[in-house]
Amino acid sequence: MSQKIQPPKGTRDFYPADMAIQNHIFGAWRRVCARFGFQEYEGPSFEHLEMYTGKSGDEIVGQLYNFTDKGGRDIALRPEMTPTLARLANQLGRNLRKPARWFSLPRLWRYEKQQRGRLREFFQLNMDILGSDNVSADAELIAAACRICEELGLKSGDVVARISSRRLISTLLDELGCTDKPPVYLALDRREKLPREDFVKGLGEAGLTEDGIRRLDALFDAKSLAEVTDLVSSDDAKAALAELETLFQLLAAHGVADWCKFDPTVVRGLAYYTGVVYELFDAGRSLRAIAGGGRYDDLLSKMGGERMPAVGFGMGDVVIAELLKDKGLLPTGIPGPDLWLVSVDGDEIRQAAVAAKLRAAGKEVGFAFGGGKLGKQMQAAQENGAKRAVFVGSDRVAADQVEVKDLATGEQTVSTVEALCL
Ligand code: HAM
């Protein structure tokens, strides 16, 4: 006997109960996007490999699913949506209505080691604003990310948006004589995971002295914006700090101050961020980041377009689902039709006609095929998640009536098909 084929590692099958969870999360994503005035877009699932090499950063490039197609082109399955969004915007050029508030729910692929919250295929909500330099745009997105968590039933104590600024770190790195920033950002992003010697060695290779590393450490240990003020001296760094102060005032005005915290250790692993950066974590830090994003003002011009300020974040479906499961906030069971027809006399022609009438009126209707015992039909109603059973063909037929049973309460009433259509 041949073996049953298993799905590829790091992928998921979505049975109806899994789809119910997925739709629950996607529903919250879409509702909040609509409330914030965002419009949906999509792109292809695969792109030219060069879209990612050199722009997304070494970490993501090492995780690409890439291949050469039959025409000899180097292709990669998209590991993130941001380069695709940049390409779309560049194609529109001056025809892009700015600021554009766009969202997408792409399926993404990264060749990662499979672990809790990390898969090789996942979905990710992307919300981005293109064409605004204003820190209000950064605030808008952080507020939206918090409101999504709230929409899913989470509270401010469950999730923390940790916020910092690449611009602040960049200006400090300038002060410290750093010659190559992208590898430093990656090392800083992994600071907690890397052995200390490797971390120090990496920073040394990028031109930082021991004193410089001590000053970076001091920045990372700062608990508030006020503490950072004493650590930086350049006008650029002071401007970056002032921007963060305004951001926190805006977040308070958005009503999400309780969800947000200044955290200088947030750097982000991706290469293209230039300004405010943030990551949302579960408060207990038992999971990897729920979401991450920031400002990336240079990416569009690096991809051949005009300079276009941009901000955005990505929120994966895997980590948020884990957190909702831990908190008991996921829907259980499968969503079934409102009505389940139970044929009392086995007249399937009549049953199909009643179903057609109800469906034409927009009602959700299911029934068992081939009639059978009432008990079996009722069991099918339960198993299919129906809310009410409608008994068709009882002795009330002459009066064009049907009996209706609420499957949750057991309450039984008499109605007509016409009344059920309303
Ligand atoms: P990212 O930090 O690479 O950012 O991903 C954002 C979120 O996607 C993560 O916090 C995590 O929830 C989820 N995620 C990432 N990799 C995986 C994985 N292998 N399995 C499950 N979930 C995963 C970006 O992708 C940026 N492009 C976001 C962005 C949009 N920045 C600006 N606009």
Side-chain angles (χ1 to χ4, degrees):
M1 217 172 65
S2 60
Q3 260 195 331
K4 280 188 188 152
I5 296 172
Q6 299 296 314
K9 232 186 197 169
T11 65
R12 288 168 291 175
D13 293 320
F14 290 90
Y15 289 98
D18 307 305
M19 276 316 291
I21 291 172
Q22 189 77 348
N23 288 334
H24 176 70
I25 294 171
F26 276 44
W29 282 351
R30 285 184 186 285
R31 284 193 299 280
V32 175
C33 285
R35 259 174 239 157
F36 277 75
F38 279 62
Q39 295 170 324
E40 190 165 3
Y41 70 98
E42 239 302 6
S45 312
F46 53 87
E47 294 272 9
H48 293 293
L49 176 66
E50 64 183 323
M51 281 252 301
Y52 308 106
T53 46
K55 288 170 196 88
S56 297
D58 291 345
E59 189 175 36
I60 228 171
V61 169
Q63 296 166 345
L64 284 174
Y65 273 91
N66 56 308
F67 56 94
T68 309
D69 75 5
K70 288 177 180 154
R73 301 171 200 91
D74 288 326
I75 297 292
L77 295 184
R78 61 186 177 194
E80 58 159 336
M81 197 60 173
T82 316
T84 298
L85 171 66
R87 185 175 62 66
L88 261 67
N90 281 346
Q91 275 164 209
L92 282 182
R94 286 172 197 279
N95 292 327
L96 179 73
R97 195 169 42 79
K98 288 182 295 201
R101 308 151 79 93
W102 285 6
F103 82 96
S104 193
L105 308 178
R107 195 189 280 250
L108 304 178
W109 295 268
R110 295 186 192 178
Y111 195 86
E112 294 213 59
K113 198 155 176 248
Q114 186 186 341
Q115 46 185 273
R116 190 172 182 222
R118 196 178 290 244
L119 295 174
R120 292 184 174 170
E121 183 183 63
F122 58 99
F123 291 90
Q124 190 194 63
L125 163 69
N126 278 253
M127 287 181 83
D128 292 83
I129 300 174
L130 304 173
S132 175
D133 270 322
N134 203 301
V135 70
S136 300
D138 303 68
E140 178 90 335
L141 287 175
I142 298 172
C146 297
R147 294 297 181 208
I148 288 170
C149 295
E150 190 177 60
E151 182 76 6
L152 287 163
L154 293 162
K155 307 228 157 40
S156 60
D158 298 328
V159 172
V160 185
R162 297 166 180 266
I163 302 166
S164 184
S165 164
R166 266 271 175 105
R167 197 173 147 205
L168 178 67
I169 298 167
S170 167
T171 50
L172 182 62
L173 288 177
D174 287 336
E175 284 181 32
L176 302 180
C178 172
T179 47
D180 188 12
K181 290 180 194 168
V184 175
Y185 293 140
L186 201 53
L188 292 175
D189 187 50
R190 297 217 202 107
R191 183 170 168 259
E192 278 172 28
K193 293 175 213 145
L194 281 179
R196 180 75 189 168
E197 309 113 67
D198 293 357
F199 173 70
V200 170
K201 191 165 160 248
L203 296 192
E205 281 167 9
L208 292 189
T209 60
E210 264 180 44
D211 180 52
I213 295 172
R214 252 196 307 277
R215 281 183 64 190
L216 258 187
D217 277 335
L219 172 69
F220 273 32
D221 291 339
K223 298 278 174 287
S224 66
L225 283 174
E227 277 183 42
V228 178
T229 317
D230 302 332
L231 300 171
V232 292
S233 48
S234 72
D235 287 347
D236 280 352
K238 284 184 185 150
L241 260 182
E243 183 182 62
L244 278 173
E245 271 156 16
T246 309
L247 176 70
F248 277 93
Q249 283 167 6
L250 286 164
L251 291 171
H254 273 284
V256 294
D258 288 353
W259 298 76
C260 301
K261 192 178 161 217
F262 169 62
D263 183 342
T265 66
V266 172
V267 182
R268 305 280 295 137
L270 289 160
Y272 46 66
Y273 293 109
T274 53
V276 168
V277 281
Y278 45 91
E279 283 178 337
L280 273 71
F281 280 94
D282 64 295
R285 286 291 300 253
S286 64
L287 299 163
R288 67 174 301 198
I290 298 166
R295 179 168 284 281
Y296 51 101
D297 285 349
D298 300 335
L299 182 65
L300 277 79
S301 57
K302 279 191 180 147
M303 287 180 57
E306 308 239 324
R307 182 186 176 274
M308 168 92 74
V311 281
F313 72 83
M315 179 183 288
D317 64 327
V318 186
V319 186
I320 193 86
E322 290 281 344
L323 180 59
L324 294 175
K325 191 163 103 196
D326 286 355
K327 300 272 176 204
L329 291 170
L330 281 181
T332 50
I334 48 165
D338 181 24
L339 304 173
W340 193 267
L341 306 187
V342 174
S343 174
V344 178
D345 57 9
D347 184 345
E348 291 202 83
I349 306 283
R350 167 192 287 286
Q351 191 176 46
V354 171
K357 197 165 181 180
L358 289 166
R359 285 170 180 161
K363 303 294 161 190
E364 302 160 2
V365 184
F367 53 86
F369 305 117
K373 290 197 173 127
L374 287 193
K376 272 227 143 140
Q377 292 189 59
M378 289 300 282
Q379 192 185 337
Q382 298 279 4
E383 284 170 359
N384 282 277
K387 292 176 194 66
R388 295 183 287 169
V390 180
F391 297 92
V392 182
S394 65
D395 48 10
R396 296 189 190 273
V397 168
D400 197 26
Q401 287 177 330
V402 284
E403 275 173 36
V404 182
K405 183 173 180 179
D406 185 308
L407 294 175
T409 62
E411 191 193 336
Q412 211 146 327
T413 49
V414 174
S415 181
T416 60
V417 174
E418 274 70 28
L420 285 177
C421 283
L422 298 176

